[in-house]
Amino acid sequence: PPSTSAAHRGRWDREALETVLRRRFFFAPAFEIYGGVAGLYDYGPPGCAMKNNLVQMWRQHFVLEEGMLELDGPALTPDPVLRTSGHVDKFQDWMVRDTETAACYRADHLLRDALQARLDDPTLSAARSSAERQDMERTLAHVDELTADELAAALRRFDVRAPDTNNPVSAPYSFNLMFQTQIGPTGTIPAYLRPETAQGMFVNFRRLLDYVGGRMPFACAQIGLAYRNEISPRAGLLRVREFMQAEIEHFVHPERKAHPRFHRVADDVLVLFPRDRQSAPPDSERHRVVRMRAGEAVAAAVIDNQTLAYFMARTQSFAYSIGLRPEHLRFRQHLANEMAHYARDCWDLEVETSYGWIECVGLADRACYDLKAHSEVSKVELVALDKYDEPRTVQVFEAVPVKRVIGQRFKRDARRLIELLQTRLDEVAKLRLHEALQTRGSHELDGFTITPDMVEFQRVSRTVHSETYYPSVIEPSFGIGRLLYCVLEHAFYVRAGDDEARAVLRLMPAMAPLKCAVLPLSKNEVFDPLLQRVSTALTRAAISFRADDSNASIGKRYARADELGIPFGITIDFDSVSDATVTVRERDSMQQLRGDIDAVVQAIADMCRGEAHWKSVSEERERYGLQRFEGQQTTHG
Amino acid sequence: PPSTSAAHRGRWDREALETVLRRRFFFAPAFEIYGGVAGLYDYGPPGCAMKNNLVQMWRQHFVLEEGMLELDGPALTPDPVLRTSGHVDKFQDWMVRDTETAACYRADHLLRDALQARLDDPTLSAARSSAERQDMERTLAHVDELTADELAAALRRFDVRAPDTNNPVSAPYSFNLMFQTQIGPTGTIPAYLRPETAQGMFVNFRRLLDYVGGRMPFACAQIGLAYRNEISPRAGLLRVREFMQAEIEHFVHPERKAHPRFHRVADDVLVLFPRDRQSAPPDSERHRVVRMRAGEAVAAAVIDNQTLAYFMARTQSFAYSIGLRPEHLRFRQHLANEMAHYARDCWDLEVETSYGWIECVGLADRACYDLKAHSEVSKVELVALDKYDEPRTVQVFEAVPVKRVIGQRFKRDARRLIELLQTRLDEVAKLRLHEALQTRGSHELDGFTITPDMVEFQRVSRTVHSETYYPSVIEPSFGIGRLLYCVLEHAFYVRAGDDEARAVLRLMPAMAPLKCAVLPLSKNEVFDPLLQRVSTALTRAAISFRADDSNASIGKRYARADELGIPFGITIDFDSVSDATVTVRERDSMQQLRGDIDAVVQAIADMCRGEAHWKSVSEERERYGLQRFEGQQTTHG
């Protein structure tokens, strides 16, 4: 078996993989005949099949097995939704422009790179005053926190220039990362392509809560496209401008984040890289991941709560099920300054690839920020109802209008004041009115001059059966394209062939774009009836396959199937014609078994459903009606 | 069974359906808490599940069973692609604006409605000169063909005003129906959201042809979102601004449109409404659909070719399989003026609903227009290679440079002229050069003065083994949201219940959002172990279900399930507790069978896979280990 340690994943490996992915059209730059557009990709037939498999497996693992709701809303999103969420104002980068060529750079990257280069340059260091050096170091440490004005001042103070031309750069200006457009003929509805699918679920919270009959907690998922106008997309599928997300919003009472199925994952061992360990000196013993059971991590408060830990464990088992390699996975906790101010705790599932550690899934406890923000702006209360087991008694302060007095004084307007006193004053307003009437003898309210004879105040006990609250949101968010690319990197290896090194994708059967290759030994019509029988049997078993009856040698045709990650190959030879048996070859071991068509198809079906593996089928070959096959296929009749 | 004829689908029916669809969150206007945006919808849990089922069934019926390729490309599309396809210039409507309120109207609709109203009004007709009346009638007949200037002139001549205010309207201006945006930080890449998924397949033609090893014909499918900035979206899911398409591009030699599997559908009876029948007088015998076998329709040249007819037949069987009712389906041929100038033949699958006949699938023979247009602009030849069975001999006219003479005359530049003569002259250029040298004794070419001694002309025979050609494209294009809505209308009926009329969705099991409801007779923990056993058995059989253990009566819970279109309900009663048998109820007949859990689940699994129906299961109940159940469930232990 090939080495899979990160140390062995070199530049060469990635190039070999990319050659295969492009040549076999897993994916490729979109619109290439017109020169292409950075950050936009087409998935060709095998990539598209794998993406469909990945989405289907995700839906099975999360939506169906967890009994989640699923929503499917538009990518086009009107301005107010994304203004409330903060994206219109904050989903942006500061840019500067080369004053002569108009080339664009991210201001913070430019400043950081320039300062780092100067501090690293020994010839410059010598000639620099200690004060200047300290200024550079201090600025560098806080690049992320600089305001636009501070950024501008720093770029001027250190005379930072465009790296490609050495021209001066403009003052920083903000660049929003959302794609903007207009809805309708008059262009009066500004809109964006959503930068995440999450908001569509928040604005539907009431309908979703109705759908589950008001029962909390519950989770909703959405699988769909999101868009980010990246400034300089690169790294293949890892940073693109249009990408598929699969997001879950788990709505839960803010103080009750235990999860009813947590016991099922409590003993799962998670690979964690907590905040304090990341902050430890890079070469210290503490600066590395720690393996902990999920239950232990919650008990020790390494992970904030059971629900978050539950989804981390479920995410890890999903990652294993699609073929990501455990030794290249970790959960990295966000540092305090990485998290939004409202977030309670965030962990990223990171996957190690030739590009380094890549964030593929974000798991965040976003508290009740989103539902609260949308409630405040839309004036629609996105709240859940908590029915108490036992009614509770609470003390409330009441302002009871003296209707007779008010009626005499205000005549036709009396009703309005009575209603105002009865329903529109909160606790604080009532206390303020009470105090004002006691100390000053009158109070102005909404144009009314109120005197003490108009209101009686009393403290009363009330029996309360329920209360409303803003649910907390725990959000696992998956990048489908990134996961797919990582699966491909982890699956790729090269083995020596008869005449040349051959690329293989060791994909799980469930992820493979096709499950079976069907190969008549040569182009000869004597094989046609058997080819038809094998095809029919595979179709009936819902096993996707590809018949390859080209003139190429059997070895070359196996190699073609290996490159596509097809796990099984059925070969029809001259013995097949006489006894109707065929061989099945497994991609990675290259071992073969032989038996009649139904037996072979049954074994493949079991392996594709994950109910058997090549090893178990080989061991139980007699039960399947199969036998070892180690020779060559007969090449004549 | 309820009436399903179109005559009985009144306003009331649609309102009742829409109430159910909204209340049970099949779909609903998106962003409603912010006032919503016309033409944008959210699919809630049952709608989303049905949409996933529909897409999955489509993929099975077309991509897998036909062995098509599948592509998945971005919706963001750069300007040149859609400029070449004609969308930037022609995918537009002419608009006018109310000069005071700025309200927008489609100019052609406004003119047509105004003329029609005036011609229909008897009081106005009397006072009108016959010349004016003729002008109106002539203009009305040709509204679709008017240029912008003619439209403007007509609106002025007839003094057409804004219908809502009677204000004057502006001159017509063009409104492109694509959503526009910009890619990248400098905003220099104008782009659109694709108005169809087709173009992504055309621009990938070379890669796709490579993928199939150059073998023609082949088909590629794409399922994805498309966008149209409709001027006034309405009619629910039928006219929306963001919608899912499933499109197929079948690439084929322009003169060989026979289909290898046509024999499988040749006897399928298609319901056709051909062009000549549409043109017949509306109340004549000929103005109606005709039923024809697919083979017959091609033989009689009613449908242009086998491949187009093959896809029509496959489309019809797909429509049946998702539950559309045969009596409300027809294929309507495009009239000559409806088709693009390059199209050979077009048919729409239309579905009759409460909105009238709705186009749900378009099937077009687009000839080689698209590949040719993209080849010309991109300079990448999107052609296929036709290898002849036998080599062919063709006559060509050659211009052979006399190298010695050219070398002496032009020295260092000689090579360039020799190459030019050998490779860069087409047939016409060679003939022109030959004639010029004969008649005038010299000819200027690319700065060279050529004389007769420099070139020898000859006619030669060449053996040719292949030629390249632009493939024709046959395009079936499905609107997923429209199909889904039509399925819901065709499935909806209302039946008398115990206390009130109850809505039912008679969905095919494969389309239903959930396959089974599980209903313990009452909220009693004695049922919990059986509920668990039933759940486990259903999960193992991959049957989606919903347990409803609320306090509502069993009848009410059946009604809830019927509204969601859930085809089967398993009820657990007190007898179940003692003998582990349960009942299964079918939604539409409301009949019940009883048997042990495995027998019931097996029957449901067979019906969901389409391998059995309620009737066949009832007849073969003994084989399943089931028996009739006609009483009431026992309501006590």
Side-chain angles (χ1 to χ4, degrees), chain B residues 257 342-344 364-371 470-474:
Chain B
K257 293 179 182 169
Y342 51 80
R344 288 269 312 215
D365 181 337
R366 302 171 58 92
C368 58
Y369 176 80
D370 305 279
L371 294 181
Y470 292 109
S472 272
V473 174
I474 299 198

Side-chain angles (χ1 to χ4, degrees), chain A residues 192-204:
Chain A
Y192 303 91
L193 296 178
R194 63 184 173 196
E196 58 176 28
T197 65
Q199 300 303 323
M201 293 184 270
F202 299 142
V203 299
N204 269 298

